[in-house]
Amino acid sequence: MIQILELIKLLGLGIASAILFITITMADIAKTKDFIKAVEEVRSEYPEDSIERKIPTSFITTIAATETGNFNFKNAPTAQKANNFFGIHATGDQNYMQTSGGAKLRSFDDNKSSIRAFMQLIANDERYKDAVNAIEKGPQEMFKNMSVYAENPNYTNILSSVYKNRVQPIFQTENFLLPKRKPITE
């Protein structure tokens, strides 16, 4: 009898863990989808032939997901408060918030302002010209040219991993089309 009660207890814990895992995953997916929508809205503000418009949504989303810890801003309250999804530092007279480490993190009114600043940085900063030149080859090739963006020497591999494991599956499921049924007469 004790063994059956122990088994029931473990089964209950397993189910509770599964529900918690699914909830966390669904919340992360929802945050990513919301960010993707914001990126698409910002991209549509630019002319069709502009560099900003050509930067893939998946590229922008992957950088943001990496920089924010999958949009959770864990251990980054200043970045969250500053609506800074890309870890962009302030220069000149730009609005900023000072981190506990002393860095001046650029401050934005909302996520779309942060997205615009990132797109303009990539499009106009000479350090990212190789990433821009790789736009036609897709996000994976663009990541190879982003090592100057972060201090982590493994940054390009991290981007690739976040893209493959978190961002790309969301794009694949969103773009999945169910086959239409043919009428009975056909």
Side-chain angles (χ1 to χ4, degrees):
M1 182 68 165
I2 295 174
Q3 291 175 337
I4 292 173
L5 290 175
E6 190 66 28
L7 183 61
I8 291 171
K9 179 180 166 185
L10 291 174
L11 179 62
L13 287 173
I15 291 171
S17 296
I19 290 170
L20 182 61
F21 175 74
I22 289 169
T23 304
I24 292 169
T25 303
M26 300 271 289
D28 288 346
I29 290 170
K31 289 177 187 176
T32 305
K33 285 182 177 182
D34 289 345
F35 193 81
I36 289 168
K37 183 179 177 190
V39 171
E40 287 295 323
E41 289 172 8
V42 170
R43 285 179 73 236
S44 70
E45 297 171 1
Y46 292 90
E48 191 86 25
D49 59 342
S50 68
I51 292 172
E52 291 88 352
R53 182 80 173 256
K54 292 177 184 178
I55 300 171
T57 299
S58 57
F59 174 81
I60 298 166
T61 304
T62 300
I63 303 284
T66 302
E67 293 292 325
T68 62
N70 208 32
F71 304 102
N72 291 314
F73 291 94
K74 187 176 180 183
N75 300 322
T78 306
Q80 186 173 22
K81 197 177 212 180
N83 289 310
N84 191 325
F85 288 79
F86 302 96
I88 299 173
H89 290 259
T91 57
D93 61 351
Q94 295 172 334
N95 292 336
Y96 70 90
M97 295 184 80
Q98 195 144 356
T99 66
S100 58
K104 292 180 179 179
L105 199 59
R106 190 161 168 199
S107 182
F108 300 98
D109 293 333
D110 55 25
N111 62 351
K112 290 181 181 178
S113 299
S114 182
I115 294 165
R116 280 184 205 96
F118 176 75
M119 292 169 70
Q120 291 165 2
L121 177 70
I122 297 300
N124 299 313
D125 192 313
E126 188 66 24
R127 295 175 294 173
Y128 307 110
K129 73 175 184 178
D130 291 335
V132 169
N133 291 337
I135 285 176
E136 299 299 322
K137 296 177 183 175
Q140 293 279 31
E141 287 299 313
M142 292 177 73
F143 298 148
K144 293 177 183 176
N145 299 294
M146 292 301 292
S147 60
V148 296
Y149 193 77
E151 295 173 6
N152 187 332
N154 198 29
Y155 191 65
T156 57
N157 292 331
I158 293 169
L159 290 175
S160 184
S161 177
V162 169
Y163 175 72
K164 286 179 192 173
N165 297 316
R166 296 225 180 241
V167 176
Q168 189 177 36
I170 292 172
F171 276 92
Q172 289 171 337
T173 57
E174 286 295 304
N175 295 328
F176 180 70
L177 299 175
L178 295 173
K180 294 184 180 177
R181 296 178 70 183
K182 289 184 178 183
I184 295 175
T185 56
E186 289 183 25

